Amino acid sequence: MRTASFIIFILVGTMVLPFVSPTVQAAGEQDDVIVCCDASTVELYLLGSDSNKQLTPFFAELSAESQAISMKNSISSQETVGKWTLSNSWGGEVPSSTWSFSMGYEVSGAAGAQINATVSIAIGSKSYSAQTDPSGSILGQGKGSLDFSINVDETFTLAESSTVVLELKVQTLLFSFPEGTDAELIFLWGGENDPSSIVGTLPLLDIMMPEPEIEGSDVYLAVKLDSPWGLSTLALAESISLSVNGAEVTGDPIETASGDTVRVTWTWTKAIGGIESIDVAVSLKFQPDQPELQGSTTFEIETFDTNSGTGTYYPPDEPLRTNGDGSSLVVDIQMDLSKDGDTLLLRKVTTLTIGDEMAFWMRWGMDHIGDENPALSSTLRAFSEGSVSEEDRVSRSIEETEIGEFERQMVSLGPMYLSGGLGIQAEDLLGVFREFSSLKVDLDLNGETAVVNHPVTLRFSTTEVVAEGTQVDLINQFIIVQPAPLWSSFSLSLTAKTSSFTSLSNNVLRESTQFQLSILRMPWGDEITLEGEGISQDEAFRLNSVPTSAVSFTPMPLTLLSVFGLLGAFMVGMRITRQRKRTVMYTELVLVPVVGLVLVLGYPAIFVGGAVIASTLIWWVTAIASPRLSPRNRRQSQNAYPTIPCPACQVSNPVTSTERPHRFACAGCQRIIRLEA
């Protein structure tokens, strides 16, 4: 009977278990404590043009250029300026309040304009409107703002996923003292310099705190942001911070997302041990000019004095690649151009040193190589498990097998991983993968194998054949610009070297002034250096060069041609000035270091050749134009020859020939002297 009862108990438990598990999970979700927020003041900016006009609470989404609509003629019938929509607003109570709308404008070609306009705001099923008052209906010449106050005179509940629609209409427009037909009224919005917006009170989001997770003495405190803007809530908000017992928790939090809910988890390491009660407060700066959204609650925790904690929360879900600020990126590129037979080979070693959220995402992804979880991004799911075992996977540490598989698979998955994961255009940074003669990928964890926020170094060693005399891009703008930047900024150091008989000529940096380009040419090779620090993600730049092995362009032949060209030209000049003054010729030797600078500073060969030719012409023209020497100076220049006195005037004359008999004119009396022996 005992055996039968036990079997029946196990059978019943097995049947009930599938129904119990979901209940436990749901209870866990209900443990999240909502700490904020009721309706708050928010500024919604106007974006977009044509049929894609939108409202957004994020100033970062404004563009550098404003959108505009023009009215050039006085109107007497109603015209719509635009209709802007905020879709999927957050549900909650909307209190009665006064909303403020401000639309930028510019009047030109007239002393001013008188306008009668109406603005309406539809919040869910409720609609409110306002018209221009007499004092605000006169628009002065130049730029200004058209302002409205809209009274929301009742409190009501806004259903989740409702829309907010703002519409501006003009009934009449009359220009004052128009200058011919050029009078114009332009409405402006959507730009950083023209941030037209409406300010009102709306429910924005829910801020929740789940129960803390304990790992030894480490306490993982999380904040969940649930809003209609999903990842943008964290990425585009101004800041978020957490404090425990009034002291701010430092260190970089770990960010993950599930649907439209973003989870930010801090590691708190100052627990006293055992059971204690802690007050946890969160502060979210949603917009720069609005009050912070704040919430707090109290938790009772129990910590243990063990070494099991890593100091960094290990999320079960894929972490976010950015918190909105972006990660650090340092790029170092070493290039070498050489000749192999008739082929020009360009070898490159490109090193990426990655920090902050992006480094953590890379480490977490490497610890999940081969994970078939469909919730992973396509970038991480592209890696197959290879030789990675179940024991290695999700171990919170990156094993040698995971490093090996990552390096091996990056040879083929590199372009996808760089663009989809790191936000980097592989072709603009490294080149075309399929055109590489050789490719090697190396990963350096910089002494830390744990899945923590610690820099990662990724190194690509490539070799490719480049076409003789064809312009190539040594590097191009490689960051993919995104609204929530993956990179805060980046630093770039590029050094390209050649051999004595190869050259990277005609180097031109285009579209940017944020980099320093320097070129050094020596007989043993060229050296091109490009440096830049703190470069923004949208900085456009391009470095062009022409690889060649032509004799007249490469360092050693070009140096020899320049040296012998200058030497030959100067010797000819000295020959011309045998009987002339050479003072100016000697002074013009200053042209030699000038040509040397043109050569050493890496100017194109045509400039070097032009400098040599210009120096030659200057020397030869100077030599021809130099005055002849006086007899005394001529005698001084001829002291190296034996002399003989003139029988008539006793002036010493140099004997410049060994032929006998030898006739020559006396330098003193001009009589002809005949020397027999």
Side-chain angles (χ1 to χ4, degrees):
M1 288 295 294
R2 290 181 179 178
T3 302
S5 299
F6 180 73
I7 293 174
I8 293 173
F9 175 78
I10 294 297
L11 179 62
V12 172
T14 304
M15 295 173 63
V16 172
L17 185 60
F19 300 96
V20 173
S21 296
T23 305
V24 174
Q25 178 64 32
E29 292 178 358
Q30 292 174 359
D31 288 341
D32 293 346
V33 179
I34 298 179
V35 297
C36 186
C37 298
D38 295 329
S40 305
T41 302
V42 62
E43 184 171 9
L44 301 175
Y45 299 99
L46 280 61
L47 293 179
S49 60
D50 300 329
S51 60
N52 190 32
K53 294 185 175 72
Q54 300 175 352
L55 294 171
T56 177
F58 304 113
F59 183 85
E61 291 190 338
L62 297 179
S63 60
E65 296 183 1
S66 302
Q67 300 293 330
I69 188 171
S70 173
M71 294 184 175
K72 291 189 176 183
N73 300 310
S74 297
I75 62 173
S76 57
S77 60
Q78 181 171 278
E79 289 190 16
T80 299
V81 176
K83 182 184 290 187
W84 293 265
T85 303
L86 174 69
S87 57
N88 298 324
S89 61
W90 199 240
E93 186 177 89
V94 179
S96 60
S97 60
T98 300
W99 290 47
S100 301
F101 173 58
S102 178
M103 169 65 87
Y105 74 84
E106 182 176 7
V107 174
S108 61
Q114 185 172 6
I115 189 172
N116 181 20
T118 301
V119 62
S120 61
I121 180 78
I123 310 171
S125 60
K126 304 290 184 178
S127 182
Y128 308 90
S129 63
Q131 282 188 307
T132 51
D133 55 38
S135 61
S137 63
I138 305 299
L139 307 181
Q141 188 180 45
K143 280 194 170 186
S145 63
L146 177 62
D147 301 321
F148 296 85
S149 294
I150 309 169
N151 290 321
V152 177
D153 52 11
E154 59 180 319
T155 299
F156 60 93
T157 300
L158 180 66
E160 189 172 332
S161 299
S162 298
T163 59
V164 177
V165 180
L166 173 72
E167 186 174 13
L168 177 63
K169 297 180 179 179
V170 176
Q171 283 80 33
T172 59
L173 173 65
L174 180 64
F175 289 102
S176 303
F177 304 105
E179 301 171 2
T181 59
D182 296 331
E184 183 179 25
L185 170 63
I186 303 176
F187 288 107
L188 302 164
W189 70 89
E192 296 175 355
N193 297 324
D194 301 292
S196 298
S197 64
I198 183 168
V199 179
T201 305
L202 275 177
L204 298 177
L205 73 165
D206 286 340
I207 301 180
M208 301 169 288
M209 289 187 183
E211 284 288 332
E213 298 181 33
I214 311 296
E215 188 177 28
S217 60
D218 291 344
V219 181
Y220 302 126
L221 300 170
V223 170
K224 291 182 177 180
L225 307 177
D226 201 2
S227 78
W229 299 289
L231 300 179
S232 298
T233 307
L234 177 65
L236 300 181
E238 292 296 303
S239 63
I240 185 172
S241 60
L242 187 82
S243 62
V244 177
N245 298 330
E248 185 176 348
V249 180
T250 58
D252 294 324
I254 303 301
E255 300 88 6
T256 58
S258 177
D260 286 337
T261 301
V262 179
R263 174 180 172 132
V264 187
T265 306
W266 286 263
T267 301
W268 185 59
T269 59
K270 296 183 179 180
I272 61 177
I275 299 175
E276 62 179 306
S277 180
I278 58 174
D279 295 323
V280 184
V282 61
S283 178
L284 175 66
K285 187 71 173 177
F286 192 67
Q287 291 185 318
D289 299 327
Q290 303 300 332
E292 292 183 339
L293 304 178
Q294 298 178 335
S296 63
T297 189
T298 300
F299 292 111
E300 185 176 273
I301 62 172
E302 182 179 8
T303 55
F304 307 92
D305 187 13
T306 68
N307 295 323
S308 59
T310 63
T312 299
Y313 176 65
Y314 188 95
D317 301 318
E318 181 177 341
L320 299 181
R321 295 172 295 160
T322 180
N323 62 356
D325 295 330
S327 301
S328 63
L329 174 64
V330 178
V331 181
D332 180 81
I333 305 174
Q334 301 294 322
M335 298 184 181
D336 180 72
L337 181 68
S338 61
K339 191 173 183 181
D340 184 11
D342 295 330
T343 303
L344 286 176
L345 295 179
L346 182 62
R347 295 180 175 86
K348 292 196 294 186
V349 178
T350 304
T351 304
L352 309 178
T353 302
I354 299 161
D356 306 317
E357 283 77 16
M358 191 64 78
F360 185 83
W361 175 84
M362 291 179 65
R363 289 173 177 268
W364 191 93
M366 282 180 259
D367 197 32
H368 284 72
I369 287 180
D371 192 341
E372 297 180 356
N373 184 356
L376 294 181
S377 63
S378 58
T379 302
L380 297 185
R381 282 190 285 109
F383 288 84
S384 60
E385 69 174 341
S387 59
V388 178
S389 64
E390 288 293 336
E391 292 76 14
D392 294 335
R393 190 178 301 113
V394 197
S395 64
R396 303 194 179 193
S397 180
I398 303 172
E399 281 75 24
E400 289 296 328
T401 53
E402 291 173 327
I403 295 175
E405 280 300 322
F406 180 81
E407 292 175 342
R408 183 182 66 82
Q409 296 185 45
M410 276 291 289
V411 173
S412 57
L413 297 178
M416 179 274 301
Y417 186 83
L418 288 172
S419 62
L422 304 187
I424 292 175
Q425 289 285 8
E427 291 190 8
D428 293 330
L429 177 64
L430 302 172
V432 182
F433 269 51
R434 63 178 178 274
E435 294 180 359
F436 291 147
S437 303
S438 65
L439 169 63
K440 182 182 179 184
V441 181
D442 295 302
L443 176 69
D444 187 354
L445 298 177
N446 297 305
E448 178 60 75
T449 59
V451 180
V452 294
N453 197 330
H454 190 79
V456 172
T457 299
L458 197 57
R459 185 176 296 107
F460 296 86
S461 302
T462 63
T463 303
E464 62 180 308
V465 176
V466 292
E468 171 81 37
T470 302
Q471 181 174 278
V472 298
D473 291 339
L474 295 185
I475 193 169
N476 199 354
Q477 179 186 7
F478 55 85
I479 299 293
I480 301 174
V481 178
Q482 303 186 31
L486 298 180
W487 308 105
S488 56
S489 62
F490 67 93
S491 297
L492 172 65
S493 175
L494 181 150
T495 302
K497 297 181 178 180
T498 71
S499 64
S500 298
F501 296 96
T502 59
S503 176
L504 290 168
S505 63
N506 298 332
N507 298 281
V508 179
L509 177 63
R510 304 182 187 276
E511 304 178 41
S512 177
T513 59
Q514 301 301 308
F515 296 87
Q516 293 182 346
L517 176 64
S518 61
I519 304 171
L520 183 66
R521 179 187 288 122
M522 291 295 177
W524 50 86
D526 295 337
E527 181 173 316
I528 299 99
T529 303
L530 183 68
E531 300 279 352
E533 292 188 5
I535 309 301
S536 60
Q537 66 163 353
D538 57 352
E539 179 68 21
F541 65 96
R542 182 192 302 265
L543 178 60
N544 301 130
S545 188
V546 178
T548 181
S549 59
V551 173
S552 58
F553 289 88
T554 53
M556 181 63 76
L558 186 59
T559 301
L560 294 177
L561 288 172
S562 301
V563 170
F564 286 119
L566 290 175
L567 183 60
F570 191 75
M571 290 179 66
V572 171
M574 293 297 288
R575 180 71 176 175
I576 296 173
T577 57
R578 281 181 307 169
Q579 304 297 325
R580 299 174 184 272
K581 287 187 176 181
R582 292 174 171 170
T583 305
V584 179
M585 278 286 294
Y586 292 141
T587 303
E588 288 177 348
L589 282 174
V590 71
L591 294 174
V592 174
V594 172
V595 176
L597 283 175
V598 174
L599 177 68
V600 171
L601 295 180
Y603 283 87
I606 190 171
F607 285 87
V608 178
V612 172
I613 293 173
S615 300
T616 300
L617 294 176
I618 291 172
W619 285 339
W620 289 358
V621 170
T622 300
I624 294 171
S626 295
R628 291 182 177 274
L629 291 171
S630 65
R632 181 177 298 177
N633 289 336
R634 195 176 300 167
R635 287 197 303 270
Q636 290 177 357
S637 66
Q638 296 170 349
N639 283 338
Y641 299 104
T643 60
I644 185 172
C646 175
C649 65
Q650 302 302 313
V651 172
S652 294
N653 292 273
V655 180
T656 60
S657 175
T658 58
E659 295 182 0
R660 299 296 183 269
H662 174 53
R663 287 187 175 90
F664 58 92
C666 173
C669 63
Q670 300 301 314
R671 295 183 182 219
I672 301 300
I673 300 174
R674 177 176 175 174
L675 187 61
E676 295 288 347

